Amino acid sequence: MFNPLEEAMKIKDEIISWRREFHMYPELGYEEERTSKIVEEHLKEWGFKIKRVGTGIIADIGSGERTVALRADMDALPIQEENEVPYKSRIPGKMHACGHDAHTAMLLGAAKIIAEHEEELNNRVRLIFQPAEEGGNGALKMIEGGALENVDAIFGLHVWAELESGVIGLRKGPFLAGVGKFNVKIIGKGGHGAAPQYAIDPVPAVAEAILALQRIVAREIDPLESAVVTVGKVQGGTAFNVIPESVEFEGTFRFFTEELGGFIRQRIAEIVSEVAKAHRCRVEVKTEILGPPTINDDRMVELVREVAQGLGLKVGEVRKTLGGEDFAFYLQRVPGAFIALGIRNEKKGIIYPHHNPRFDVDEDVLPLGTALEVAIAFNFRG
Ligand SMILES: [Zn+2]
Ligand SMILES: [Zn+2]
């Protein structure tokens, strides 16, 4: 068989130039028109069978009993880039600050190499270029559009700012957290700040509710498990001497099992309702689970480890994170693995975390990611 790493190194410049092209023209979730057009044109030229799902693309090649899927996300973030680089974002207020430009470019490189060696494939290979990973649950749209039909396993790469450049970061079982959201409105009765006896003040009720929510993680969950409850927004009041009619707050909760997600969700509603009641306030609580935890299949992680070591890549462990990833929706339905690819390079000043206006990717790792994707496609045995 051909050597995927050698092939990827041959097209390294091309992969980097695609990445820079995507980086200069970032598009937000479900608006990936330009990006997906570039991807689609290449895939067609290389002989892939294409199905469009909005701005997403499902692209098939090869034949065989089994289908192995590889996924890249294409969307950017509403962030103003602060890097002074030749490929700086040309679109004000939008930036590829999570590395999805790199994911798209790496998978495009893999597509080119896979197509060149189509006759050596033992499986069908499906490439999924999805929209709206950043809070838009684009993965679900792709699944509704048939992305997982006949798929036996799925793999996705994410560049990883916490990991040294070039290291393939693996993790069995839970890797990223499930994500929940809550909105609370505590309603009292407005009045003069100097006459609280004639009002029902929602402000202390909200203060107490927010503190009480912190006790879910501190006092109700096994200390050896991981979970988060964060209130990220509080809004209420208009003046220093007025008791407002109502105060609102919202936040997120994170968890690694669906059971724990359900428990936290229920406790948020109960605690907030009872605290409001104790303060003679009314309450409106909305809670929802936005996405499940990302749970890797142990066998598929082992497959990736063998493939990566076979290529001579450095393989390490990656820490769990309470961040979320909509790749979880694919892994809920078929076995697979979400893989981290280290991009941290202090010498190049590439040290900023994801979603930071100075986030950047060590481009020398791009062919490594491409090679790993190609090698997974050719070595998958089901
Ligand atoms: Zn992100
Ligand atoms: Zn991301």
Side-chain angles (χ1 to χ4, degrees):
M1 194 190 127
F2 70 99
N3 181 325
L5 190 54
E6 277 171 25
E7 299 292 295
M9 290 311 277
K10 278 188 220 162
I11 60 166
K12 179 177 174 182
D13 291 344
E14 207 172 353
I15 300 169
I16 291 174
S17 72
W18 288 326
R19 183 259 164 167
R20 292 184 173 196
E21 172 73 28
F22 299 138
H23 193 87
M24 285 190 283
Y25 300 97
E27 296 171 300
L28 301 183
Y30 296 118
E31 297 170 359
E32 304 91 341
E33 303 285 348
R34 185 179 187 278
T35 308
S36 65
K37 189 161 170 270
I38 294 170
V39 171
E40 182 179 6
E41 277 169 8
H42 285 299
L43 294 175
K44 272 193 179 147
E45 186 196 318
W46 300 331
F48 283 83
K49 233 178 71 214
I50 308 277
K51 183 184 179 193
R52 292 295 303 229
V53 182
T55 50
I57 297 170
I58 301 170
D60 288 349
I61 197 163
S63 57
E65 289 272 293
R66 304 198 174 271
T67 302
V68 54
L70 298 165
R71 171 273 209 173
D73 40 13
M74 300 187 288
D75 56 319
L77 287 156
I79 293 174
Q80 177 63 42
E81 176 155 17
E82 285 174 18
N83 290 314
E84 289 310 326
V85 288
Y87 50 88
K88 181 177 179 169
S89 171
R90 304 295 197 258
I91 313 292
K94 296 182 190 175
M95 175 188 178
H96 271 291
C98 201
H100 299 184
D101 50 346
H103 306 163
T104 307
M106 288 190 287
L107 192 56
L108 202 51
K112 186 173 184 182
I113 297 168
I114 291 167
E116 279 166 6
H117 296 274
E118 188 185 343
E119 66 296 337
E120 293 167 63
L121 271 177
N122 306 306
N123 307 299
R124 279 184 302 262
V125 176
R126 171 164 304 161
L127 308 183
I128 301 169
F129 289 88
Q130 75 155 72
E133 191 285 322
E134 299 286 1
N137 282 347
L140 274 183
K141 288 276 182 303
M142 298 305 288
I143 293 168
E144 283 162 19
L148 288 183
E149 272 165 28
N150 304 315
V151 167
D152 295 284
I154 185 163
F155 299 87
L157 266 187
H158 205 300
V159 293
W160 216 253
E162 228 183 63
L163 268 187
E164 277 316 303
S165 226
V167 174
I168 308 298
L170 299 180
R171 172 143 220 115
K172 288 183 178 173
F175 179 11
L176 289 102
V179 179
K181 186 182 176 195
F182 55 94
N183 304 67
V184 178
K185 184 176 188 179
I186 294 188
I187 305 148
K189 195 173 121 199
H192 199 292
Q197 71 275 28
Y198 301 126
I200 299 174
D201 191 350
V203 174
V206 164
E208 205 167 304
I210 290 172
L211 289 178
L213 290 181
Q214 301 312 311
R215 292 201 284 272
I216 299 174
V217 173
R219 299 286 78 190
E220 297 188 29
I221 290 173
D222 180 346
L224 295 178
E225 290 221 43
S226 314
V228 165
V229 175
T230 290
V231 173
K233 185 176 168 188
V234 184
Q235 227 165 11
T238 52
F240 82 103
N241 58 353
V242 175
I243 292 171
E245 187 79 12
S246 66
V247 178
E248 292 173 51
F249 64 94
E250 54 188 52
T252 184
F253 55 103
R254 306 291 169 105
F255 49 89
F256 283 110
T257 64
E258 307 210 358
E259 198 189 353
L260 190 54
F263 173 76
I264 297 172
R265 180 183 185 178
Q266 184 198 334
R267 289 299 290 146
I268 287 172
E270 288 170 356
I271 290 170
V272 164
S273 301
E274 295 304 316
V275 169
K277 213 161 107 190
H279 287 257
R280 299 179 295 140
C281 291
R282 285 195 302 117
V283 66
E284 290 166 10
V285 192
K286 240 194 319 191
T287 60
E288 55 183 322
I289 304 277
L290 300 178
T294 302
I295 299 174
N296 281 338
D297 180 275
D298 291 359
R299 272 181 56 231
M300 296 303 151
V301 172
E302 277 314 312
L303 172 85
V304 175
R305 188 189 310 278
E306 278 166 36
V307 166
Q309 283 168 343
L311 290 173
L313 301 178
K314 263 182 273 169
V315 180
E317 258 218 351
V318 63
R319 293 197 319 146
K320 276 201 277 187
T321 158
L322 276 296
E325 182 30 84
D326 77 356
F327 196 76
F329 288 109
Y330 301 115
L331 291 180
Q332 234 183 3
R333 291 160 175 85
V334 295
F338 194 57
I339 308 156
L341 172 58
I343 51 163
R344 182 183 172 83
N345 188 326
E346 281 191 44
K347 273 192 214 119
K348 294 183 186 171
I350 297 171
I351 51 167
Y352 294 95
H354 295 264
H355 295 205
N356 183 286
R358 305 198 62 177
F359 174 84
D360 204 355
V361 172
D362 181 1
E363 291 175 327
D364 284 334
V365 310
L366 300 185
L368 309 185
T370 292
L372 184 62
E373 290 173 328
V374 171
I376 290 169
F378 281 86
N379 288 293
F380 181 70
R381 292 285 179 276

